[in-house]
Amino acid sequence: MGTRRALVVALALVACAENPPVESTLDEPYFRCQVQPVLEARCAMLACHGDEVRPLRIYARNRLRLDAEDTQLNLPMSDEELALNYANAAAFVDDDPDTSFLLRKPLDEAAGGYYHAGRELFDMGDVFTDTEDVGYQVLRAWAEGEVADPACVYAGQEAP
């Protein structure tokens, strides 16, 4: 195991000991097959949530990976990476989707969102310009309890 990965695992274990994980009732298959592709396409850039220091960290192919060796970047997502993405995203979902940071932070302020540094960083506006954006609707459906077939397979993951 690389030094960086060992450090990440050690920090995660310390965080778990100090703050036991909260069990999420959000559907993991819906996350894997619907939410993960949105987060990967819209949020996982290395300068944004593809950085290990961000509170919402997103692992993705050819971006942030647990095994950061150059030869490993394009491999399918591991179960561990997807589980970490699920836990990271679920931590930003409140009981009330209208107050969830996962929905409000990337939403344009004019549409009821919060300030998001990505707007200026890439000079392209916020991730979601309004609540009608298809990606926003996917995240909202998950936050509201939408479920998917447990057998669904995320396109960036190896088939079982």
Side-chain angles (χ1 to χ4, degrees):
M1 183 178 329
T3 304
R4 182 182 227 179
R5 186 172 181 188
L7 179 60
V8 169
V9 170
L11 289 173
L13 291 173
V14 168
C16 288
E18 292 177 7
N19 302 306
V22 175
E23 285 295 317
S24 176
T25 59
L26 297 168
D27 191 62
E28 187 278 329
Y30 189 87
F31 174 85
R32 183 178 64 246
C33 295
Q34 302 297 322
V35 176
Q36 172 65 27
V38 171
L39 296 178
E40 186 172 297
R42 308 252 190 122
C43 307
M45 280 51 86
L46 289 172
C48 297
H49 299 286
D51 184 330
E52 291 178 337
V53 301
R54 300 284 184 204
L56 175 61
R57 180 178 45 255
I58 304 296
Y59 294 97
R61 291 177 75 175
N62 289 314
R63 300 195 186 131
L64 179 65
R65 300 301 301 265
L66 279 175
D67 187 347
E69 293 180 30
D70 288 343
T71 59
Q72 307 297 311
L73 293 176
N74 195 35
L75 291 179
M77 295 283 292
S78 70
D79 290 341
E80 184 179 8
E81 288 170 320
L82 287 170
L84 287 168
N85 283 355
Y86 169 83
N88 287 336
F92 286 87
V93 176
D94 295 337
D95 290 337
D96 179 3
D98 289 326
T99 61
S100 294
F101 257 61
L102 189 68
L103 294 164
R104 299 282 303 272
K105 188 72 171 170
L107 181 63
D108 190 274
E109 289 175 278
Y114 299 137
Y115 170 77
H116 187 251
R119 179 180 189 155
E120 285 85 29
L121 185 62
F122 296 107
D123 198 28
M124 295 174 53
D126 278 309
V127 177
F128 306 121
T129 56
D130 58 47
T131 58
E132 299 305 312
D133 184 288
V134 173
Y136 178 90
Q137 291 293 321
V138 166
L139 270 58
R140 183 164 189 100
W142 183 56
E144 291 177 337
E146 188 71 31
V147 297
D149 180 350
C152 75
V153 177
Y154 164 59
Q157 185 181 23
E158 285 188 87

